[in-house]
Amino acid sequence: MAGVNGIFIKTESPFMSHTVCSHATRVLSLMNRHRREKEKLCDVVLRVGSRDITTHRAVLAACSPYFYAMFSGELAESRSRVVAMQDIHPDIMENLVEFAYTGRININVENVQALLATSSLIQFHEVGELCCKFLETQLDPSNCLGIRKFVEAHGCTNFLESVDRFVLEKFKEVVKSEEYNLLPGELLIKVLSSDDLNVNFEEEVYESVLKWVSFNISERSELLPRILENVRLPLISKDYLLSKIDNEPLVRLNMACRDLLDEAKNYYLVPDRRAQMRCKRTKPRKSTVGWLFAVGGKEAGETIANSVECYHMYSNKWQRAAPLNSARQQLGVGVISGSLYAVGGSDGYSRLNSVERYDRELDRWTYTKSLNTSRSGVGVGTLGDALYALGGYDGRTCLKTVERYDPQVDCWSCVASLNVTRSFPGVAELGNSLFVIGGNDGTSFLNSCEHYDPLTNRWSYVPPMSRPRAGVGAAVVDGILYVAGGFDGISRLSLVEMFEPRMNAWQEVAAMNSCRDGVCMVNYGSQLYAIGGIDGPSYLSTVEIFDPKNNKWEEVLQMETCRAAAGVAVLPDVYGM
């Protein structure tokens, strides 16, 4: 113990530190009151028009790099008692000075433009950000382009990105606004070049270009080729190309525009050359690619699932959809006439012949006409408006029979059988033919492949894959058939092969990042997706996409649920985003 003026204090008493949270606020509040009421202890006067605003250099410098540079440098204002502020409204300056002391400011539709312009000029960045947040609440398709022009002039880069996202999302409404007709050409090109442009069909983009050019044909027609380069003409329907665009004088009279139109025609006329024609104009916009559905399968814990989830490229989210009425794995799925069907499979106790149809508008599955034969490990494919169920296993033997479903009469009928019994094959449509690849015949794994011609009702062999396997995924992109993953009786595989009809041969491409047996493959947005499967010890929720240009697989957003031996298909987005 030590004595200090008669008070005994423990020598080992710890050091104590205190912070009064309200101290800074109270001091600034008092400084502001002194400034406003008595104009005492202030060291600078801002002269704004006919109004003098008394304040403190240190406070302004702490809030604004503009004032810090003014008062701390060698400028005349650093020594002047009175500083003249040009081209600023007195009320706006008063509001900003008040904000410097209190952190409070009122923003409304009457003062937001002046506040943002002034805060940008004198670098009150916090106020600028608050103005941008207010403007974000006011964004509307009728005013967003005007707001964009204003904030761009004042260097609000972060908010500019938000406005651009709004323009892309609300493009269909923005086109109807008066502001759209005044859009600068370079900005229109930027908007139209984006994969995130929210339209239902590419025809809408073309029509928006004609509307913009027609507003001032004499000045804008020369920009048409550059703008039309960003319209994905090959993805416009063939009928529209021939009936509308081919007869448009603005296009017909411009050679560069004619070249773009010819490119689109060739995309339809020479489908087997689409891989060579691949460019930005053949890549669908995210809003137009529809919904990717993953249906049923076997989940972690050996649970046979009735769960369904769907993914949209535009929102980049997986979300739950209505579950199947029956849990099923080893099923097939397909889309015809805008409806998604889940066909056959196994519920863990028996092989199924039941079929369910999904109604996207009602988010509901209903039973439809059953198969004639129960089938697990069934291959399902589509040709035109017909659904085909190929091979599979009925609980006693592997099958080579094939059934065809006609939704017009709600009936399954038999067509020509496969040449070989197959369960767990890959199936894909290519060149108006149905290809079936690999599988298991009950005793061995297959590398043989055959294709079906609906005109002759005949199956014909095509060259075999390099390696026998079942449980593969198969899909077609740009006229090339890809087959991935599977099981060869010894190992789960990451192997990927492609079949190009012109060469009539298989070629190995880059392997997937994961081995995947029971994998699902699908063409989604002109990209090859490999979804789920089992790698040996684990069921997978991961998803990979293939880039043929760089011969590389890349993982993307995974599903919510691990699933193998599921069904995957793309349902057109007829209701829009």
Side-chain angles (χ1 to χ4, degrees):
M1 302 286 271
V4 180
N5 295 328
I7 300 175
F8 288 98
I9 302 173
K10 292 181 179 180
T11 54
E12 67 274 15
S13 179
F15 175 79
M16 298 182 70
S17 175
H18 294 277
T19 299
V20 180
C21 296
S22 62
H23 175 75
T25 302
R26 181 175 60 82
V27 168
L28 279 170
S29 178
L30 285 172
M31 291 176 70
N32 193 34
R33 192 170 74 187
H34 293 160
R35 173 186 76 84
R36 294 171 63 86
E37 293 177 358
K38 302 178 182 179
E39 298 185 356
K40 288 185 176 182
L41 304 176
C42 296
D43 56 0
V44 69
V45 175
L46 302 181
R47 183 158 291 161
V48 189
S50 60
R51 188 182 306 177
D52 285 352
I53 303 172
T54 306
T55 182
H56 301 86
R57 295 173 191 267
V59 174
L60 295 180
C63 292
S64 160
Y66 174 91
F67 281 115
Y68 180 83
M70 176 186 289
F71 296 141
S72 64
E74 298 299 322
L75 298 174
E77 289 86 351
S78 66
R79 300 180 295 276
S80 299
R81 169 72 179 173
V82 177
V83 175
M85 304 294 293
Q86 305 295 331
D87 302 322
I88 295 177
H89 193 281
D91 290 343
I92 298 299
M93 192 71 242
E94 189 81 69
N95 287 339
L96 291 172
V97 171
E98 186 74 12
F99 175 83
Y101 290 91
T102 65
R104 293 190 302 271
I105 195 161
N106 293 321
I107 303 173
N108 53 53
V109 293
E110 284 79 22
N111 70 6
V112 65
Q113 292 190 55
L115 268 177
L116 180 56
T118 304
S119 62
S120 176
L121 175 66
I122 63 174
Q123 298 178 348
F124 267 63
H125 298 311
E126 287 178 295
V127 175
E129 291 173 4
L130 293 172
C131 289
C132 290
K133 288 181 179 179
F134 176 82
L135 286 172
E136 190 165 10
T137 68
Q138 304 299 305
L139 282 174
D140 183 85
S142 64
N143 67 15
C144 58
L145 294 176
I147 289 176
R148 188 193 188 285
K149 181 178 179 181
F150 178 71
V151 299
E152 183 178 34
H154 295 291
C156 304
T157 306
N158 292 336
F159 181 51
L160 197 62
E161 294 176 0
S162 298
V163 179
D164 285 346
R165 285 194 296 270
F166 183 89
V167 172
L168 294 172
E169 181 182 353
K170 303 294 184 181
F171 181 74
K172 288 175 286 189
E173 290 78 25
V174 171
V175 169
K176 300 173 186 176
S177 71
E178 294 181 8
E179 289 185 348
Y180 175 76
N181 293 323
L182 305 177
L183 190 66
E186 293 300 324
L187 180 54
L188 179 60
I189 289 171
K190 178 182 178 181
V191 170
L192 300 185
S193 67
S194 175
D195 292 340
D196 293 315
L197 188 66
N198 186 16
V199 292
N200 294 329
F201 307 100
E202 196 65 21
E203 288 86 342
E204 296 169 352
V205 183
Y206 170 76
E207 289 170 4
S208 74
V209 170
L210 278 192
K211 179 177 189 282
W212 183 86
V213 172
S214 299
F215 185 76
N216 189 346
I217 291 179
S218 60
E219 293 184 8
R220 294 179 175 179
S221 58
E222 63 182 25
L223 279 174
L224 183 58
R226 285 190 59 212
I227 295 173
L228 208 58
E229 282 182 2
N230 296 283
V231 180
R232 304 177 186 194
L233 294 180
L235 305 182
I236 288 177
S237 71
K238 182 167 58 176
D239 289 343
Y240 192 97
L241 282 173
L242 298 177
S243 63
K244 298 286 188 180
I245 304 178
D246 202 23
N247 293 314
E248 171 54 51
L250 287 171
V251 175
R252 291 179 64 86
L253 297 174
N254 188 296
M255 186 60 69
C257 293
R258 292 291 306 176
D259 288 342
L260 291 169
L261 178 58
D262 288 343
E263 176 190 61
K265 290 179 180 178
N266 289 333
Y267 191 76
Y268 284 99
L269 292 172
V270 197
D272 60 347
R273 290 187 56 82
R274 287 183 178 178
Q276 289 74 39
M277 298 171 64
R278 193 176 183 93
C279 65
K280 66 178 182 180
R281 286 180 294 280
T282 63
K283 181 181 180 183
R285 301 184 196 274
K286 295 177 182 178
S287 62
T288 66
V289 297
W291 291 86
L292 173 59
F293 278 76
V295 181
K298 183 176 281 190
E299 302 178 358
E302 302 294 316
T303 302
I304 296 175
N306 68 344
S307 65
V308 178
E309 55 188 305
C310 57
Y311 170 83
H312 205 292
M313 194 183 294
Y314 187 81
S315 61
N316 192 34
K317 291 180 181 177
W318 286 93
Q319 62 189 60
R320 290 285 176 175
L324 295 160
N325 294 302
S326 299
R328 51 181 90 216
Q329 63 161 336
Q330 303 166 358
L331 71 157
V333 299
V335 172
I336 52 172
S337 303
S339 293
L340 174 64
Y341 290 81
V343 180
S346 167
D347 61 7
Y349 303 99
S350 58
R351 274 69 192 175
L352 306 175
N353 67 345
S354 60
V355 179
E356 301 185 45
R357 175 183 174 275
Y358 178 68
D359 187 317
R360 172 70 182 150
E361 188 172 14
L362 298 177
D363 188 30
R364 185 174 65 191
W365 291 88
T366 55
Y367 287 108
T368 185
K369 186 71 173 179
S370 294
L371 293 161
N372 297 308
T373 302
S374 299
R375 302 172 188 263
S376 65
V378 60
V380 168
T382 61
L383 280 176
D385 289 329
L387 190 67
Y388 292 78
L390 307 92
Y393 180 69
D394 66 3
R396 297 184 303 275
T397 183
C398 288
L399 306 170
K400 64 177 181 178
T401 56
V402 179
E403 300 183 50
R404 178 185 182 275
Y405 176 72
D406 184 346
Q408 297 298 320
V409 295
D410 190 28
C411 179
W412 289 92
S413 57
C414 291
V415 296
S417 294
L418 298 163
N419 291 309
V420 177
T421 56
R422 300 176 189 270
S423 62
F424 301 100
V427 178
E429 185 270 331
L430 174 61
N432 299 317
S433 293
L434 205 59
F435 280 67
V436 59
I437 307 107
N440 187 293
D441 64 5
T443 58
S444 59
F445 291 85
L446 306 173
N447 65 347
S448 62
C449 310
E450 41 189 314
H451 76 96
Y452 175 72
D453 184 343
L455 298 179
T456 62
N457 190 31
R458 177 181 294 178
W459 288 92
S460 304
Y461 282 110
V462 294
M465 295 184 293
S466 66
R467 193 162 176 178
R469 43 189 169 141
V472 297
V476 173
V477 175
D478 292 332
I480 296 175
L481 171 62
Y482 293 86
V483 176
F487 181 63
D488 64 2
I490 300 173
S491 304
R492 267 99 184 187
L493 305 173
S494 60
L495 173 69
V496 183
E497 298 181 64
M498 74 174 193
F499 178 78
E500 189 171 356
R502 289 190 308 156
M503 305 300 294
N504 197 35
W506 290 92
Q507 178 183 338
E508 192 170 325
V509 296
M512 296 180 291
N513 295 309
S514 299
C515 297
R516 298 175 185 270
D517 177 21
V519 62
C520 295
M521 285 253 289
V522 68
N523 178 339
Y524 182 50
S526 289
Q527 296 185 84
L528 191 66
Y529 277 66
I531 301 167
I534 182 171
D535 64 3
S538 303
Y539 289 90
L540 303 175
S541 61
T542 54
V543 179
E544 302 182 46
I545 61 173
F546 180 65
D547 179 358
K549 183 176 180 180
N550 295 315
N551 192 30
K552 184 179 179 181
W553 289 87
E554 174 189 359
E555 287 201 3
V556 292
L557 185 69
Q558 65 184 37
M559 296 182 290
E560 294 182 355
T561 304
C562 301
R563 58 181 85 228
V568 166
V570 175
L571 189 60
D573 190 4
V574 295
Y575 308 106
M577 278 301 297

